[in-house]
Amino acid sequence: PEIAHDPASLYKTHCATCHDLPETKAPPIESLRKLPLGKITQTLEIGIMQPMAAMLEPGERLAIARWLAAKEDAKRNQWLQANACAGPTPARLTGAENRGMATYNWRNPQGVTISKANLDRLDLKWSIALPAVNAMRSLPVATADTIYLGGADARLLALDRQAGCVRWFLDVDSAIRNSLTLERTPDGINTVFFADELGTVHAVDATTGTLRWKVSAKIHPTSVVSGSVAYHDGTLFVPISLFEVMVAANPKHECCRAHGGLTALNAQTGEKRWHFATTPDAQKTYPSAAGTQMWGPSGVSVWNRPTIDAARGVVYFGTGENASSPATDTSDAIIALDL
């Protein structure tokens, strides 16, 4: 359960020193209150305010963000009720809903009548605008009846495919930047899987919009999930990346101890089945020119969506560079693991 915090007191103690004094030129609280929750959490966790907010516990940072965003977000959310659909949400899966339009990523849509011969006769069917969202990074998934859309406004939407009305919505704590995955788990429940920008993995009932479970995939305070999750046979594969290199711009930061990885979760419960770390735990190496203790190895983020080879029982993924010495043979690599 979440611990109760007094966000007003937290803001006064940790934020007001700058944001309530015009001479600091920091955005005043009136400006902060106009930002959506997802933007505030992003700024506190992995943005320019991360060094200042590091002294707060994760629950305290989230409490401040919710308190600042609450009133304006309530106004922005009025369109959801005004555009609500009248009926329930069907979620009939065919196996071709996800990225790549099939398990093997063939990108071959079936039954499509659009061609280069009739492109000039297409008409707009419907459109929606998402308040306070200036970028979309999450690829939606669609069934015959419903489009599922994750947004930078920290919200998952289920939209009627024919009318564009809102079947249901679910608010989360930070932006959804990776693509959604829609699958039927072994217990027969059609489920939308995704991770938010703070590294929390969610499983949502695709029919009702209720949260089945959520778990943090963080293995370090600077862990994030930027690649999309992959599903196979009741298991969810979560790629782990990190943003410690941003924090390392501070010459006093002991760079670097975070590394990437791949985590396998039970898709029905969120329970961890196994975890693969892309480097060993970092050890002290040498002092920097600024006299700061350095650590390594580190880095080797997994930025991409894992690929499943069911016939061989293997999961493949690519890795990024090392963030500090010594270098490892797992960096800048393609790795294959036994499922």
Side-chain angles (χ1 to χ4, degrees):
E2 293 186 5
I3 301 173
H5 298 288
D6 180 358
S9 296
L10 288 170
Y11 174 86
K12 184 177 181 179
T13 301
H14 299 282
C15 312
T17 307
C18 292
H19 290 283
D20 286 2
L21 295 177
E23 54 267 31
T24 66
K25 301 188 184 301
I29 189 171
E30 293 79 11
S31 297
L32 299 178
R33 288 195 179 279
K34 294 179 181 179
L35 298 172
L37 173 64
K39 181 63 177 178
I40 300 174
T41 56
Q42 177 199 52
T43 304
L44 291 174
E45 296 288 342
I46 60 176
I48 60 173
M49 292 302 297
Q50 192 275 339
M52 283 67 78
M55 66 185 69
L56 296 166
E57 295 296 325
E60 293 176 326
R61 294 192 291 267
L62 183 57
I64 292 172
R66 286 175 173 168
W67 178 70
L68 288 171
K71 186 175 180 180
E72 200 66 26
D73 270 359
K75 295 179 182 178
R76 280 191 282 261
N77 292 348
Q78 291 175 357
W79 74 276
L80 295 164
Q81 299 299 337
N83 292 275
C85 301
T89 305
R92 294 172 289 185
L93 272 60
T94 66
E97 288 79 21
N98 291 312
R99 168 183 191 275
M101 301 175 184
T103 301
Y104 297 104
N105 199 29
W106 287 329
R107 298 181 179 269
N108 182 27
Q110 303 297 314
V112 174
T113 58
I114 298 174
S115 69
K116 62 182 180 180
N118 60 21
L119 275 175
D120 61 333
R121 298 195 296 276
L122 294 178
D123 292 320
L124 179 67
K125 190 175 184 70
W126 53 263
S127 65
I128 63 168
L130 303 181
V133 174
N134 57 15
M136 295 295 294
R137 299 186 64 173
S138 175
L139 189 71
V141 294
T143 67
D145 313 282
T146 307
I147 296 175
Y148 300 90
L149 178 67
D153 54 351
R155 178 174 294 122
L156 177 66
L157 284 169
L159 304 173
D160 182 275
R161 186 165 174 168
Q162 300 304 316
C165 60
V166 180
R167 293 192 178 277
W168 54 255
F169 66 92
L170 178 70
D171 290 328
V172 296
D173 293 330
S174 64
I176 302 172
R177 59 179 287 176
N178 49 25
S179 300
L180 307 178
T181 295
L182 176 60
E183 296 282 356
R184 181 178 292 112
T185 51
D187 54 4
I189 299 176
N190 296 329
T191 305
V192 180
F193 298 102
F194 64 93
D196 66 23
E197 199 163 43
L198 301 186
T200 301
V201 184
H202 299 71
V204 181
D205 188 310
T207 302
T208 64
T210 55
L211 183 68
R212 296 189 62 185
W213 54 260
K214 69 175 182 178
V215 297
S216 175
K218 283 180 174 290
I219 54 177
H220 184 269
T222 61
S223 295
V224 291
V225 179
S226 36
S228 302
V229 300
Y231 175 92
H232 173 68
D233 195 24
T235 299
L236 200 66
F237 299 90
V238 184
I240 312 297
S241 55
L242 52 106
F243 67 93
E244 189 177 14
V245 288
M246 297 169 61
V247 185
N250 180 352
K252 295 183 179 180
H253 178 73
E254 297 187 359
C255 181
C256 284
R257 281 177 274 189
H259 57 70
L262 187 70
T263 299
L265 303 176
N266 182 317
Q268 292 181 189
T269 65
E271 181 181 1
K272 183 185 293 185
R273 287 186 163 159
W274 53 257
H275 173 75
F276 175 85
T278 54
T279 77
D281 288 341
Q283 305 295 323
K284 292 181 179 180
T285 53
Y286 54 87
S288 71
T292 304
Q293 178 64 56
M294 295 287 100
W295 294 71
S298 64
V300 194
S301 292
V302 183
W303 300 105
N304 56 309
R305 180 182 187 268
T307 295
I308 309 298
D309 186 339
R312 292 180 175 86
V314 173
V315 54
Y316 303 96
F317 56 94
T319 64
E321 72 279 8
N322 284 113
S324 61
S325 300
T328 62
D329 59 6
T330 52
S331 70
D332 307 283
I334 297 173
I335 295 176
L337 301 179
D338 187 293
L339 283 174

